[in-house]
Amino acid sequence: MKRNSNQLVRLDDSALAGESEAISPASAKPLFGLDTVSLAARMIEMGEPAWRGPQLAEAIYRQRLPELSEFTTLSKSLRQKLAVEGWQVGRPRIAQVFRSVDGTERYLVECQDGVTVETVWMPDGDDGEAGDGSEVDDADGELKERAGKSWRRATICVSSQVGCAVNCQFCLTAKLGLQRNLTAGEIAGQVVAVLDRHGVEVGRDRVNLVFMGMGEPFLNYDNFMAAVTLLVREVELSPQRMTVSTSGIVPGIERFAQEPADLRPKLAISLNAPDDRVRDELMPINRKWRIEAVIDAVRGVKLRPRERITFEYVLLGGVTDQPEHALEVARLVRRTGLPAKVNLIAWNPGPGIAYTTPRPEAVEAFRATLVDQGIPAYLRRPRGRDIYAACGQLKRTVEE
Ligand code: SF4
């Protein structure tokens, strides 16, 4: 599909003024990324009482203040002392915004060293959470329009690495290769910057996180789980509103299965093929960990009530969208023996990738076949295709 460049809207910098602090030299020490205990330890090292740690965490993660100068619970002298010692909030900042005609926003989020990653805001979601039971977690059982907000629920898609080494053949991010892992603060910082931009009230607004942006989270496991821990324990988001997607890194899935239920996000497996032969071609990682090994690892996850494993399946026209493929996928999903659902994604085009988008009739026939086989199947709505924000399209596309 040829991109309509008129739809790629770069907002000017004035639209972002006051949103976050300017990037400081890489030598500056970021407070963002440290949990309450670590913040208290830093305070003690500076000769301050330990209770300054929770005070700092409150300002950084709950009040989401992007600059030390706004920390009015600290004395001016302490703020100065922190600054003199090189400390700053150091939260990644939204450097550019691209807004889709459908309301989706794609951000270039800049880390302290100037590296940028992509984060996406999808007001009203993309139906990726359909059928997972989380709808009934809303406090009063219904969605309410929040005063002054144009959205009732939203999904934030978060990156875990700069680029990606997994090299899925249908994915634009793969073209970047892996540039570096993101730190826990850089992963959690994307979320907090976007929550801040949209005035999200944690605990009241319904916001889902999907770790499905640039990168393979389970190839940056420690930083990914440290970011989740910050988001759960410090920002106070629910892990049951988070989903991490993996291409099938078996040792990562095995570690993930051991995470405590009050910290573990939901799991999605990026399956994308009906068998090992096709998957070997589309996802070279399959040559290392076969579908059977991935499914065995998934069986080790102890699901919470109403939780399901999600299988993500990108439909490529003529390659993975045939009725016999759907029958094979149903068989694979049944083999897990776990409550599961399939999220279908009609492939989103990208330059230099020689696949075609499936016909709408093929997509519907695929979904209907899965449902006939007793497998819940949902079609994810493509969001932000015009701004290269849709699944598999994140590649820091900035040209106008
Ligand atoms: S689909 Fe995900 S795992 Fe595969 S190359 Fe793209 S970003 Fe990496």
Side-chain angles (χ1 to χ4, degrees):
M1 186 180 79
K2 200 164 181 341
R3 177 160 51 96
N4 178 352
S5 60
N6 291 332
Q7 293 173 326
L8 189 63
V9 181
R10 178 185 165 180
L11 302 187
D12 64 40
D13 290 338
S14 63
L16 303 167
E19 188 157 33
S20 57
E21 66 188 356
I23 289 295
S24 295
S27 59
K29 295 183 281 189
L31 292 166
F32 197 99
L34 301 178
D35 63 8
T36 300
V37 172
S38 303
L39 289 167
R42 297 292 97 76
M43 289 291 95
I44 291 167
E45 281 165 17
M46 288 175 66
E48 296 290 327
W51 52 262
R52 289 288 188 199
Q55 209 172 34
L56 278 170
E58 178 69 25
I60 296 167
Y61 299 112
R62 265 84 74 193
Q63 292 182 273
R64 304 192 297 244
L65 302 175
E67 295 188 58
L68 269 180
S69 59
E70 297 175 54
F71 287 26
T72 50
T73 50
L74 304 187
S75 66
K76 201 170 170 197
S77 62
L78 178 53
R79 295 199 303 258
Q80 279 170 347
K81 192 168 153 191
L82 281 164
V84 165
E85 295 204 6
W87 291 102
Q88 57 167 247
V89 177
R91 188 175 87 193
R93 72 176 191 113
I94 295 176
Q96 282 187 37
V97 178
F98 301 92
R99 185 176 289 156
S100 165
V101 290
D102 68 14
T104 299
E105 290 185 346
R106 176 170 66 92
Y107 311 110
L108 290 192
V109 177
E110 190 173 26
C111 303
Q112 273 201 307
D113 61 358
V115 158
T116 55
V117 290
E118 304 215 341
T119 312
V120 180
W121 163 265
M122 292 172 278
D124 298 316
D126 64 352
D127 294 340
E129 76 281 36
D132 68 1
S134 68
E135 294 90 336
V136 296
D137 290 338
D138 292 303
D140 54 7
E142 63 179 33
L143 302 178
K144 284 190 174 156
E145 198 104 20
R146 307 265 305 125
K149 295 197 170 98
S150 59
W151 45 274
R152 295 191 310 163
R153 62 188 174 95
T155 298
I156 302 172
C157 180
V158 186
S159 292
S160 55
Q161 296 179 307
V162 186
C164 186
V166 175
N167 200 21
C168 302
Q169 298 297 294
F170 49 82
C171 172
L172 209 47
T173 306
K175 304 266 180 211
L176 293 170
L178 176 64
Q179 299 184 4
R180 74 166 172 85
N181 281 332
L182 292 175
T183 65
E186 289 166 342
I187 297 170
Q190 296 167 59
V191 176
V192 174
V194 175
L195 294 176
D196 209 19
R197 172 175 171 80
H198 292 280
V200 172
E201 295 172 63
V202 173
R204 300 189 71 186
D205 291 323
R206 184 180 159 199
V207 173
N208 296 299
L209 303 186
V210 292
F211 296 93
M212 300 184 186
M214 301 168 87
E216 164 52 77
F218 286 0
L219 290 180
N220 184 20
Y221 192 91
D222 290 335
N223 288 327
F224 160 70
M225 270 315 294
V228 167
T229 306
L230 281 174
L231 291 166
V232 172
R233 304 257 158 87
E234 304 291 353
V235 183
E236 300 179 347
L237 294 167
S238 166
Q240 299 196 53
R241 290 209 180 280
M242 302 178 191
T243 303
V244 59
S245 176
T246 178
S247 57
I249 310 297
V250 166
I253 300 170
E254 289 169 347
R255 281 184 74 183
F256 187 73
Q258 304 306 316
E259 299 292 349
D262 63 350
L263 209 55
R264 179 179 58 72
K266 292 181 289 189
L267 180 63
I269 302 295
S270 189
L271 180 63
N272 305 321
D275 55 43
D276 281 320
R277 188 187 58 78
V278 178
R279 201 167 191 265
D280 279 353
E281 280 173 31
L282 298 179
M283 302 176 71
I285 197 83
N286 195 67
R287 293 176 205 147
K288 183 154 189 178
W289 291 294
R290 318 298 285 168
I291 295 174
E292 189 66 46
V294 173
I295 287 179
D296 279 349
V298 167
R299 281 202 202 96
V301 178
K302 288 178 203 64
L303 298 180
R304 292 166 287 233
R306 295 199 308 272
E307 186 178 352
R308 296 174 197 253
I309 298 290
T310 300
F311 287 90
E312 305 281 344
Y313 192 94
V314 173
L315 290 156
L316 302 171
V319 179
T320 59
D321 65 345
Q322 301 300 299
E324 62 270 24
H325 298 151
L327 290 171
E328 201 53 33
V329 169
R331 197 180 62 78
L332 284 175
V333 172
R334 271 197 299 269
R335 273 221 324 259
T336 63
L338 293 171
K341 62 167 183 152
V342 175
N343 276 352
L344 299 171
I345 305 146
W347 180 69
N348 294 303
I353 302 185
Y355 292 113
T356 55
T357 304
R359 287 177 302 110
E361 315 85 73
V363 173
E364 183 43 37
F366 199 99
R367 195 192 65 79
T369 303
L370 287 174
V371 172
D372 276 353
Q373 293 288 311
I375 307 294
Y378 302 87
L379 182 60
R380 274 176 49 188
R381 283 187 296 150
R383 300 297 309 264
R385 271 185 180 175
D386 55 334
I387 55 162
Y388 279 46
C391 287
Q393 289 190 313
L394 300 184
K395 196 197 158 196
R396 293 183 291 173
T397 310
V398 297
E399 320 86 65
E400 291 180 74

